[in-house]
Structures are given as structure tokens and as C-alpha cells.
Amino acid sequence: MPRAHQAAWDRIADQVLVEVPRPMGATSTVVDPAYRLDPQEVFGRTAPLVVEVGSGSGDALVAGAAQRPEWDFLALEVWRPGIGHALAKMEAETGAGAQPNVRIVEVDAVVALQTMLAPGSVHEVWTFFPDPWPKAKHHKRRIVTPDFVDAVVRLLAPDGVWRLATDWDHYAESMREVVGAEPRLELVSTDRAPLRPVTRFERRGTAAGRQITDLAYRLR
Ligand SMILES: C[S@@+](CC[C@H](N)C(=O)[O-])C[C@H]1O[C@@H](n2cnc3c(N)ncnc32)[C@H](O)[C@@H]1O
């Protein structure tokens, strides 16, 4: 982790990172399936909850939390250097200190989404530029699978929205197919997600001549 990100980590990680039980050891990103995160306890209030899957270096997380102080943001990310970068961005955004409406869990979202949060408790789920795994033999590693869709549907509040974005046409098609096959969800928008900033993944995709696809699904 670059020194500036480590310094941000040392200053504010204890206010932002949520420690969770890890049955496979302290360095594992697998959360204990029996663990339940209570947003009211973690954020100290009740507010609409956004869960970001794979927040990377925190662009959407930090910008979204700044623009919606009345919402709470919970990011799930396995890549520790990305979390350090997000903390540094957070300090740049606030001038000093943590954003009170952001928490990050260093955790595998695939497992966490299935177990860690109460059904119907999430206002929005964000999955922006998930790892594309462009080679055909790696498609099975993509995070958006029928089981993942099922986990998101379980979490969404009655008016909840799942926002996805990708710069890979093949992944976009696959998202439309896999998520579109879920009868409890309907596609409500293909416009750019309102709070989604331009990240390096979007810039890189656009520079390479790829098209950006946004998809927003709502519970029927
Ligand atoms: C391509 S990056 C996109 C980051 C960010 N969403 C953006 O748009 O800039 C994908 C991120 O998802 C994270 N990721 C991949 N699989 C994950 C998982 N199972 N649980 C949590 N995060 C995951 C990666 O570590 C990486 O930071």
C-alpha cells in the first residue's frame, strides 16, 4: 500500500472498517455465516442503506456518501490496498477524518451478501465495473451469477434498486441474461447511475473504444 494510503489507514481505519468474525482465520476474507451486521448499531442511526460490492479504490463510495449524507454506505471489498486508497480519498473529501455515513468491510461479498445482512434491509446495491474476466474460460469467475442475483433480491427493500455498470459488452449481455431471468426484478433504467462518478475503469474502457452499460433493476 502506498505510504499516503497506509497513513490514512492508520488514522481512520478504526472508525470506518467493521471487524467481522472470520472462522477461517484473521487473514481470510470469508465472514462467519452466523454473523449478522446491524446497520443501526454500526452507523448509530437508521437511514437508507447502500451496499457497494467491490468498491475498489472508493470513488463511487466516497462521492456517493458526500452527496447523500442522509444515506448510509456499506462497502464490501476484498482488496486491502483499494480500501487504503478509499480511506485516503475519504480524508481528501472531508478535509480530515472519516465520513460518518461510510463503513467498509474487508470481506468476500459473495458470501457476505448471502448471510451478513437482514432480508429486505438494503435501499440500493451497487456493482460498478465488477472484474470482467473477459476470457471465455474465466467467465465462470464473474461475480454476477444466479446465486448472486438471488442474494441481492433477498436483501433489497420493497422499493430497492440494484445498479450495475460494465464496460464489457459480453458481460453486459450476460448481466441482462442472468439478472433478466430473475422474475422478481425488472429493468427500470439503462441511464447512467445518478451517483456514479467516472472511475479509472470507465476511463480505461472508453479509451479502449468500449461502450459503458448501466443497468438498474427494481423489485417487482
Ligand atoms: C474492476 S474493480 C472496480 C472497482 C470499483 N467498483 C470501480 O468502479 O472503480 C472490481 C473490484 O471488485 C473487487 N472484488 C472482486 N471480487 C470481490 C468479492 N467477491 N467481494 C468483494 N470485492 C470483490 C476487486 O477487489 C476490485 O476492487
Side-chain angles (χ1 to χ4, degrees):
M1 203 185 291
R3 199 181 299 172
H5 301 175
Q6 182 66 54
W9 181 291
D10 294 342
R11 282 189 294 268
I12 62 170
D14 61 341
Q15 296 159 57
V16 181
L17 263 79
V18 180
E19 277 313 316
V20 298
R22 304 172 192 276
M24 292 162 78
T27 56
S28 159
T29 54
V30 178
V31 63
D32 184 342
Y35 171 72
R36 303 286 175 270
L37 184 147
D38 177 357
Q40 197 180 351
E41 187 191 325
V42 162
F43 290 98
R45 66 174 185 176
T46 302
L49 181 65
V50 176
V51 173
E52 181 169 26
V53 174
S55 47
S57 50
D59 296 284
L61 178 69
V62 169
Q67 285 179 68
R68 292 282 184 280
E70 70 280 19
W71 292 0
D72 289 334
F73 291 76
L74 181 70
L76 311 177
E77 174 57 63
V78 285
W79 185 47
R80 184 173 289 203
I83 297 176
H85 200 171
L87 296 176
K89 281 185 183 152
M90 188 179 287
E91 285 192 324
E93 173 63 41
T94 60
Q99 289 173 297
N101 59 335
V102 176
R103 296 293 184 278
I104 303 175
V105 191
E106 188 179 4
V107 81
D108 181 345
V110 172
V111 179
L113 281 192
Q114 289 174 8
T115 58
M116 209 174 72
L117 294 161
S121 64
V122 177
H123 182 60
E124 294 202 359
V125 174
W126 292 356
T127 314
F128 296 151
F129 299 93
D131 292 327
W133 298 110
K135 289 185 184 160
K137 66 177 178 182
H138 292 150
H139 286 173
K140 56 182 180 295
R141 298 185 190 174
R142 288 174 170 171
I143 203 167
V144 180
T145 63
D147 283 349
F148 190 80
V149 175
D150 208 48
V152 172
V153 167
R154 174 187 156 277
L155 285 182
L156 285 176
D159 60 345
V161 176
W162 183 13
R163 301 187 187 281
L164 304 105
T166 183
D167 58 326
W168 289 88
D169 282 350
H170 186 273
Y171 203 178
E173 272 169 42
S174 157
M175 287 172 175
R176 281 178 178 277
E177 212 176 287
V178 175
V179 187
E182 170 51 67
R184 291 168 291 177
L185 290 174
E186 66 176 323
L187 181 65
V188 289
S189 175
T190 54
D191 294 340
R192 184 186 188 91
L195 295 176
R196 186 172 71 70
V198 177
T199 67
R200 89 189 149 96
F201 294 99
E202 175 166 1
R203 269 193 296 276
R204 197 190 282 176
T206 307
R210 294 192 291 272
Q211 245 202 327
I212 310 299
T213 300
D214 276 86
L215 301 167
Y217 292 87
R218 192 183 288 280
L219 278 186
R220 282 183 200 278

